[in-house]
Amino acid sequence: MKFPIDIPFVDDLGAQYHERPLGEALIVLDSEHRHTNSFGVVHGGVVLTLMDVAMAMAARSMPDDSGAQARGMVTIEMKTSFMQPARGRLEAYGTLVHRTATMAFCEAQITDAAGKPIAKASGTFKYIRHRDLSDKASTS
């Protein structure tokens, strides 16, 4: 399924968004040779990206206190632990753990097609309006 928002980098990777309940997100990637490093396994940056996007999408899925759909997200901090090399189909599952009016605290895990854990992450995200970034970009 296509992402509900335009994320060109993630589209270029070939990742797919799968609808989940509020506060959750599932991102799936059928890895290809172009996703690998010199060891022939999926590059750690791809794994990080999938978990980062899964966490951000989980946080975005929750309406704010007024009932409006959440604004954009930027990653403030992310900690990742890699458990084993990634190959084949990867599923990144993100969950919103806690949120405030301006911040979201999330977790993610990524598994292979057999359900074996590949990596885990936790992250802190800031809710922003898209115009906040475009205003700064146009003045710098």
Side-chain angles (χ1 to χ4, degrees):
M1 170 183 242
K2 186 157 174 54
F3 278 78
I5 58 172
D6 182 35
I7 311 173
F9 180 65
V10 176
D11 288 343
D12 190 52
L13 285 176
Q16 298 175 350
Y17 174 78
H18 291 259
E19 198 77 32
R20 300 286 302 164
L22 292 177
E24 300 178 12
L26 176 62
I27 312 299
V28 177
L29 176 72
D30 290 313
S31 67
E32 302 172 13
H33 178 73
R34 67 188 175 115
H35 299 121
T36 62
N37 61 21
S38 62
F39 296 107
V41 297
V42 176
H43 191 284
V46 173
V47 172
L48 280 161
T49 297
L50 295 174
M51 290 190 295
D52 179 58
V53 172
M55 289 187 286
M57 295 301 292
R60 284 179 62 97
S61 73
M62 291 297 288
D64 65 20
D65 292 338
S66 71
Q69 190 61 31
R71 302 167 304 256
M73 308 295 301
V74 292
T75 307
I76 300 298
E77 163 280 326
M78 184 172 167
K79 186 221 183 282
T80 303
S81 297
F82 295 92
M83 292 172 244
Q84 64 180 330
R87 295 179 179 89
R89 183 179 184 88
L90 303 176
E91 295 187 357
Y93 178 72
T95 57
L96 174 65
V97 176
H98 177 74
R99 72 173 280 183
T100 68
T102 59
M103 305 289 274
F105 303 90
C106 301
E107 294 178 343
Q109 63 180 359
I110 194 162
T111 58
D112 64 14
K116 291 192 282 186
I118 301 298
K120 285 194 167 228
S122 62
T124 306
F125 298 82
K126 182 176 181 183
Y127 290 105
I128 62 161
R129 295 179 305 259
H130 282 283
R131 120 174 154 237
D132 290 344
L133 289 179
S134 60
D135 288 348
K136 288 181 175 73
S138 65
T139 59
S140 21

